[in-house]
Amino acid sequence: MTDNELIWRIAGGSGDGIDSTSQNFAKALMRSGLHVFTHRHYPSRIRGGHTYVEVRAKDEPVQSRGDGYNFLLALGDSFARNPQEEAYYGKEELKPLYENFDELREGGVLLYDQGLLDEEDVDEVGLEEAAAENGWEVVPMDLRGIAKEHGREIMRNTAGIGATAAILDIDTAPFENLIEQNMDGDMQEANLNVLHDAYEAAAELDVDHDIEMPENTHDEEQVILSGSNAISYGALDEGCRFISGYPMTPWTDVFTIMSQHLSNFGGISEQVEDEIAAAALALGASHAGVKAMSGSSGGGFALMSEPLGLAEMTETPIVLLEAMRAGPSTGMPTKPEQADLEHVLYTSQGDSARIVFAPANIRECYTQTRSAFRIAYDYQIPTIVIYDQKIQGELRNLPASHFDEEPNADPGSVLTEEEIEEAAHHSSGKFKRFLHEPEDGSNVSPRSIPGQKNGRFLATGNEHNEEGHISEDPQNRIAQMNRRLGKLDDIRADLDETAGHQTYYGPDEADYGILVWGSQQDTAFEAVDRLNENGHSVKALGVSDMMPYPVEQVSEFLESVDEALVVEMNATAQFRGLTQKEIGKYGDKMSSLLKYNGNPFEPAEIVDGFESSINGEDLAATNLKYLPAAGD
Amino acid sequence: MSAFSAIGDDREIDRDEFTPGIEPQATWCPGCGDFGVLKALKQAMPEVGKNPDEVALFTGIGCSGKLNSYFNSYGFHTIHGRSLPVARAAKLANPNLEVIAAGGDGDGYGIGGNHLIHTARENHDMTYIVFNNEIFGLTKGQTSPTSPKGHKSKTQPHGSAKSPIRPLSQSLNAGATYIARTAAVNPNQAKEIIAEAIEHDGFAHIDFLTQCPTWNKDAKHYVPYTDIQQSDEYEHDINDRQEAAEMMFQTEDKLYEGEVLTGRYYVDDQNPSYGDEKRSTGEMPEEPLAERYFDEDAEWERTYDELLHHHK
């Protein structure tokens, strides 16, 4: 292992093909044997507006986007044409070049498309001074010109890849293979020509830089995919065959993937009038015997509060996804935040029990979506997978064998007609769907599906007796409440035994702890490595079960350290609040490092935040917030 | 034994099978029009040959939502205004189920109005019965979307400044393919219309006039009452959308002028139901999806290898 890494940033305008180009770049690097990770940044606009994607490549699994970047491919924003915005923000088409000067590392490379950007304008943004100060190697190339020679301007992306490969001395074969795979005819030929010409042109330049490419390491077959892909495949493997939804960023990604493929698996996708309907449809499909899912992002999920409570009261299994973006209200549609935790935990009326999982990475997006379906259908309870804009769209490689798991189509505690014959019925003929004390001693009553003989029952959002009839009898109320809420303890025990969603990281014994959840986990783990290298004694716990909360595991962790820093991407320390509520102590041990400016943490920020907190210093970074422990 | 053997059981059906034993006793007020819906619905079931286990009834909230408690079938008493989206997914999941939804005028035309538009637009194969008594009953007498203009209530003491909604015209515009109005005061017509609606392959909307003797004492008990199919004065081609639209426009005025027009307004047998459309485009499997989970021969092995291949 070495410290060598490439963090390659491609910047342009929304609609310039930045996303697809970066995906191909990452995939080609993975095929060449590297570990890769992508980070996307984009505005809430269809065309135009500064957008970039970073591809980080290392010789070991990549945990986060890293800090800053060392190679910029600036293509210019070809859709920048809003004079009003220009008046406010300056030259829009130049933004991809100058917007993030402060994050390009010393000794890095800045390759920009001379064909699109006016040299006089480039002078104006102070490129020369900034380059001299930071030791950047600036490489202007007419990528647009090379592309146009072979046909179309849009192929300047391919030219940028060719030039990058020459400057970094990367073998072009994986890029060629991808072009051959994805295109045919004239397009394929043109792109191959552009790739080669740009490579040749860049190879002739004398570019001096400090970037050392990592060595190729993995030997097992890898796949590169996003959190949205992994969630979708987890759902398919767990027998989900019905999805209903309404588009909203960033949940739309899973909805789109499922909709494109579900009919090939004999399933059904429904785009409906609103999110209330979306969740209600999933309930109806589940009631009728199909494993079903719906989902949304913050504002849409707010509308699902009603059907969520109905699912709980009628004990109809359902899986909901909540893809967080920055709030309140419509907030920042394309920016990540972890601020819907309390919304998801507590929305809907009454003493409400639902299961909430927060996968920390793409690997867990698959496994925990599977858990969500299994738990929902085994225990007849709504389960929610909460994730965010960061994890849904970032790409990461992992071994293909991660997906070699047996599918599970079992609809849980559903009876066959033979079993219904034997089951308890009321004298009116109604099946006792909501038994106070199920025979197996669990809190889960047996279930029938409409159309089954003699399995009739009433599902109702009102409190109800064993057959489902509405009842306000006090004794029945207590029995039903206790049974429904009792599932949480059963599920906690089940998860402890089977799932192991929590992730320990770092040395067993350490003075300090970092407590983290969701998409910030792996970034925090990278920070833990650096802190220990810096001579600190730190370990971390990534928590992925939000409800039922893993009280025992987190208590032991907090007991074992002197102080713990809770890292999360919101302004009010929601996860720390949950931890304090669930455990009821250690409030004096937990302080918070918070970020809520629309960008996820970089590992260096956590390192700095940790060091400031233990030294009792104020945070140097202005984009972070530190909340001291209770009583401090 | 199949997973859903109750479906398609073609024995003789007795309407008493739909009465759930001796309890619960209906809690509707004496003289309530809701009894008329219950009776007509029970009488329609033997006519269409449906047994209790193959019928799934979805209701909303309010007095109408209690229908489920007195009608012995699979039932889902959902939440205010949401019966339609729950019901239509059940039909997609298992198209062999007989799916019926019911709700009140507040439930169906107020809070659930958006769902009604879209369910009608998509022409789901199901029957929707709206108990229309022009009042919010269970919450004790507030103005509803079908209350006449000027109607005074505790929440609108100056008299409502709003015109009532035109539910049938709205359904026609949205795309419903069977539209009728009936009333508790004519049980025979009600039974026939419900039976027809159930047998109709598409979205059938029945506006069912149900008098509320407790909270809407001023309102007529829907007399004088005219069955437009029996009357020489009114005639229109029920398959013609434009003629039906004009007829509906008239009836929706007359509802508040003393004469109540009932009967079939529009029937479109040509338009395929949503499920059929979806199956024809390959968006939906031919066999009921719900059955797959009980089918031991169903193949559940990992089938997305091809998808995963794109990520390699």
Side-chain angles (χ1 to χ4, degrees):
Chain A
M1 304 244 174
T2 66
D3 285 338
N4 296 349
E5 66 174 3
L6 170 69
I7 303 181
W8 179 84
R9 179 185 285 193
I10 177 170
S14 268
D16 276 334
I18 303 300
D19 215 31
S20 56
T21 309
S22 65
Q23 284 175 24
N24 282 336
F25 188 73
K27 194 188 252 187
L29 292 186
M30 178 191 79
R31 286 184 177 184
S32 77
L34 293 171
H35 292 275
V36 290
F37 184 102
T38 73
H39 164 71
R40 300 167 72 195
H41 175 104
Y42 58 102
S44 182
R45 282 170 60 168
I46 296 171
R47 292 206 181 280
H50 178 228
T51 177
Y52 67 76
V53 183
E54 281 171 10
V55 179
R56 186 183 187 194
K58 282 168 76 77
D59 56 2
E60 58 185 337
V62 193
Q63 312 244 53
S64 79
R65 63 180 286 199
D67 306 305
Y69 58 99
N70 55 14
F71 193 112
L72 176 66
L73 169 59
L75 292 172
D77 182 349
S78 67
F79 291 101
R81 56 171 79 96
N82 185 341
Q84 205 175 11
E85 286 212 349
E86 230 166 74
Y88 282 113
Y89 304 116
K91 290 276 184 200
E92 275 281 302
E93 63 268 36
L94 274 176
K95 266 191 167 181
L97 175 67
Y98 72 84
E99 180 89 331
N100 301 105
F101 273 177
D102 54 345
E103 291 178 21
L104 178 57
R105 295 184 191 166
E106 281 185 25
V109 175
L110 196 160
L111 166 64
Y112 73 91
D113 186 356
Q114 230 174 354
L116 198 68
L117 303 180
D118 190 342
E119 284 303 311
E120 282 172 25
D121 291 338
V122 171
D123 291 342
E124 265 177 41
V125 298
L127 174 59
E128 211 173 311
E129 299 82 352
E133 202 176 306
N134 295 295
W136 297 336
E137 185 72 12
V138 177
V139 190
M141 282 184 71
D142 184 8
L143 301 173
R144 189 188 186 212
I146 295 171
K148 279 178 98 171
E149 239 172 72
H150 295 282
R152 296 170 57 205
E153 191 177 320
I154 187 78
M155 291 188 293
R156 65 178 177 277
N157 293 332
T158 307
I161 300 268
T164 300
I167 294 167
L168 294 171
D169 195 18
I170 306 173
D171 180 10
T172 53
F175 301 113
E176 287 159 14
N177 291 342
L178 268 174
I179 292 172
E180 282 158 9
Q181 246 180 313
N182 297 339
M183 302 173 188
D184 38 40
D186 293 346
M187 278 301 287
Q188 185 194 93
E189 201 187 326
N191 272 282
L192 286 172
N193 289 335
V194 170
L195 186 81
H196 291 145
D197 282 7
Y199 187 94
E200 303 281 311
E204 280 173 19
L205 304 171
D206 180 24
V207 184
D208 181 32
H209 59 79
D210 297 346
I211 304 167
E212 285 183 46
M213 282 297 287
E215 299 286 324
N216 303 343
T217 55
H218 54 68
D219 42 19
E220 206 189 324
E221 186 176 44
Q222 303 285 312
V223 287
I224 179 167
L225 70 182
S226 69
S228 294
N229 289 129
I231 286 170
S232 303
Y233 299 158
L236 288 173
D237 267 351
E238 210 60 29
C240 172
R241 292 295 181 269
F242 187 96
I243 192 166
S244 45
Y246 186 89
M248 182 170 182
T249 304
W251 127 268
T252 314
D253 223 30
V254 168
F255 187 33
T256 309
I257 294 168
M258 291 295 282
S259 300
Q260 281 176 340
H261 301 300
L262 210 43
S263 61
N264 299 333
F265 297 89
I268 298 173
S269 165
E270 278 288 288
Q271 183 181 324
V272 297
E273 59 270 27
D274 59 34
E275 285 88 350
I276 307 176
L281 264 98
L283 261 183
S286 183
H287 176 69
V290 174
K291 289 172 118 174
M293 171 161 91
S294 184
S296 192
S297 296
F301 190 80
L303 298 186
M304 295 182 167
S305 164
E306 280 183 19
L308 173 65
L310 181 62
E312 189 188 326
M313 193 53 145
T314 57
E315 301 184 59
T316 310
I318 179 178
V319 175
L320 297 177
L321 305 179
E322 217 271 34
M324 292 179 283
R325 64 193 215 185
S329 192
T330 33
M332 295 198 281
T334 63
K335 300 289 177 276
E337 206 166 78
Q338 295 180 298
D340 290 349
L341 178 61
E342 290 179 346
H343 178 47
V344 160
L345 287 171
Y346 308 124
T347 189
S348 195
Q349 62 271 44
D351 287 319
S352 182
R354 72 288 308 261
I355 305 305
V356 182
F357 297 137
N361 49 40
I362 288 155
R363 182 179 290 270
E364 290 188 6
C365 282
Y366 173 77
T367 52
Q368 292 186 18
T369 302
R370 295 203 61 164
S371 288
F373 271 94
R374 186 180 68 77
I375 296 292
Y377 281 82
D378 279 356
Y379 293 90
Q380 303 172 11
I381 193 168
T383 64
I384 300 167
V385 178
I386 184 171
Y387 61 109
D388 64 42
Q389 189 272 350
K390 171 184 183 284
I391 211 169
Q392 71 87 21
E394 71 193 13
L395 301 177
R396 196 167 173 173
N397 67 298
L398 63 165
S401 60
H402 183 62
F403 297 92
D404 288 342
E405 295 281 329
E406 285 298 306
N408 174 29
D410 182 8
S413 47
V414 175
L415 301 188
T416 61
E417 289 197 340
E418 290 90 336
E419 289 165 331
I420 290 172
E421 290 287 324
E422 306 291 316
H425 284 72
H426 185 257
S427 57
S428 70
K430 289 232 173 184
F431 167 64
K432 292 195 172 180
R433 165 75 179 87
F434 305 102
L435 273 179
H436 290 165
E437 291 177 1
E439 280 169 22
D440 61 1
S442 78
N443 288 304
V444 182
S445 287
R447 205 181 146 213
S448 60
I449 304 290
Q452 287 185 311
K453 201 170 179 182
N454 291 328
R456 292 185 306 284
F457 69 97
L458 175 61
T460 168
N462 286 54
E463 187 58 272
H464 45 268
N465 64 17
E466 294 189 314
E467 299 85 44
H469 285 303
I470 294 169
S471 165
E472 293 183 353
D473 175 73
Q475 292 310 316
N476 172 70
R477 164 70 175 177
I478 294 172
Q480 297 289 28
M481 279 298 284
N482 289 350
R483 189 176 58 74
R484 286 191 300 262
L485 293 173
K487 292 180 191 176
L488 282 182
D489 292 335
D490 301 348
I491 292 167
R492 180 72 267 152
D494 181 328
L495 292 171
D496 284 343
E497 205 175 297
T498 58
H501 288 164
Q502 279 57 252
T503 314
Y504 295 88
Y505 195 83
D508 286 344
E509 307 267 331
D511 298 338
Y512 293 97
I514 287 181
L515 203 56
V516 64
W517 70 284
S519 68
Q520 303 309 292
Q521 174 190 287
D522 289 9
T523 312
F525 288 175
E526 187 170 346
V528 165
D529 286 341
R530 294 198 209 171
L531 286 166
N532 285 311
E533 281 164 24
N534 291 357
H536 299 287
S537 167
V538 190
K539 63 180 178 178
L541 176 60
V543 181
S544 294
D545 295 342
M546 301 290 115
M547 189 187 278
Y549 193 83
V551 171
E552 208 172 304
Q553 291 160 31
V554 180
S555 297
E556 277 174 15
F557 180 82
L558 289 172
E559 181 65 43
S560 73
V561 295
D562 296 337
E563 283 179 41
L565 186 68
V566 189
V567 176
E568 53 187 317
M569 207 169 25
N570 60 56
T572 54
Q574 296 188 14
F575 176 67
R576 174 176 149 193
L578 172 66
T579 304
Q580 247 170 302
K581 171 180 176 282
E582 290 284 345
I583 296 178
K585 51 181 179 174
Y586 305 122
D588 55 346
K589 277 191 181 183
M590 286 185 281
S591 57
S592 291
L593 185 66
L594 306 169
K595 187 172 182 184
Y596 47 95
N597 68 351
N599 292 308
F601 278 99
E602 294 179 17
E605 292 174 330
I606 300 174
V607 170
D608 292 346
F610 178 89
E611 289 180 338
S612 315
S613 80
I614 60 166
N615 295 332
E617 292 163 2
D618 288 341
L619 278 178
T622 54
N623 60 347
L624 305 179
K625 176 160 129 186
Y626 179 74
L627 271 190
D632 273 17
Chain B
M1 205 187 277
S2 93
F4 297 105
S5 71
I7 295 175
D9 173 7
D10 60 359
R11 69 189 160 79
E12 194 110 321
I13 310 294
D14 186 326
R15 71 187 171 101
D16 287 341
E17 289 181 49
F18 290 88
T19 303
I22 49 164
E23 56 168 356
Q25 293 296 322
T27 58
W28 290 319
C29 303
C32 174
D34 293 4
F35 287 103
V37 185
L38 177 61
K39 190 176 169 194
L41 184 60
K42 281 187 192 174
Q43 285 180 332
M45 300 324 288
E47 300 226 345
V48 295
K50 297 296 174 188
N51 73 72
D53 286 330
E54 65 183 319
V55 177
L57 174 66
F58 298 82
T59 54
I61 298 297
C63 293
S64 63
K66 295 181 177 178
L67 182 68
N68 256 324
S69 297
Y70 319 135
F71 183 77
N72 189 19
S73 70
Y74 276 95
F76 202 146
H77 176 230
T78 66
I79 38 183
H80 208 194
R82 315 299 171 207
S83 63
L84 289 178
V86 182
R88 67 198 206 211
K91 183 72 183 183
L92 294 174
N94 190 346
N96 291 337
L97 286 174
E98 193 53 57
V99 172
I100 301 169
D105 41 301
D107 184 90
Y109 303 150
I111 190 167
N114 191 26
H115 305 309
L116 173 56
I117 292 173
H118 289 274
T119 310
R121 167 171 84 101
E122 292 168 11
N123 195 29
H124 288 266
D125 180 17
M126 53 189 277
T127 303
Y128 186 38
I129 305 170
V130 181
F131 297 44
N132 183 4
N133 58 10
E134 302 171 33
I135 197 84
F136 278 27
L138 200 56
T139 51
K140 303 192 189 248
Q142 296 81 14
T143 311
S144 98
T146 50
S147 300
K149 195 169 184 175
H151 179 264
K152 287 189 180 179
S153 71
K154 286 178 190 164
T155 51
Q156 272 160 316
H158 302 289
S160 172
K162 301 171 190 178
S163 297
I165 201 163
R166 294 175 170 272
L168 300 184
S169 298
Q170 183 191 294
S171 256
L172 181 80
N173 282 337
T177 50
Y178 182 97
I179 301 172
R181 168 172 283 141
T182 185
V185 292
N186 189 345
N188 285 333
Q189 186 203 39
K191 177 196 72 178
E192 282 169 22
I193 283 182
I194 291 177
E196 270 180 30
I198 288 173
E199 285 179 332
H200 174 74
D201 184 18
F203 185 65
H205 176 188
I206 303 169
D207 188 60
F208 201 119
L209 300 171
T210 53
Q211 69 277 6
C212 178
T214 304
W215 295 109
N216 206 4
K217 286 198 177 75
D218 298 339
K220 53 217 166 282
H221 279 216
Y222 305 111
V223 280
Y225 172 100
T226 307
D227 182 334
I228 53 168
Q229 261 85 37
Q230 304 297 325
S231 162
D232 295 337
E233 204 182 322
Y234 302 99
E235 56 178 45
H236 75 286
D237 178 357
I238 60 170
N239 302 127
D240 185 308
R241 202 175 159 112
Q242 196 159 348
E243 282 190 35
E246 280 167 25
M247 199 57 220
M248 279 176 206
F249 202 75
Q250 276 194 49
T251 183
E252 283 169 343
D253 283 336
K254 295 211 173 191
L255 187 58
Y256 300 96
E257 284 172 3
E259 187 189 16
V260 176
L261 304 183
T262 64
R264 295 92 170 148
Y265 284 88
Y266 183 61
V267 180
D268 171 5
D269 287 324
Q270 306 304 313
N271 205 3
S273 72
Y274 185 62
D276 286 342
E277 289 275 16
K278 249 178 120 72
R279 272 185 292 273
S280 72
T281 61
E283 260 191 60
M284 194 170 138
E286 291 293 331
E287 298 302 316
L289 188 42
E291 282 183 1
R292 287 194 70 195
Y293 294 88
F294 291 93
D295 180 0
E296 285 178 9
D297 299 328
E299 293 192 358
W300 290 96
E301 74 263 24
R302 235 188 58 217
T303 41
Y304 63 85
D305 281 336
E306 203 181 317
L307 294 183
L308 208 55
H309 186 73
H310 292 295
H311 300 287
K312 286 178 181 163

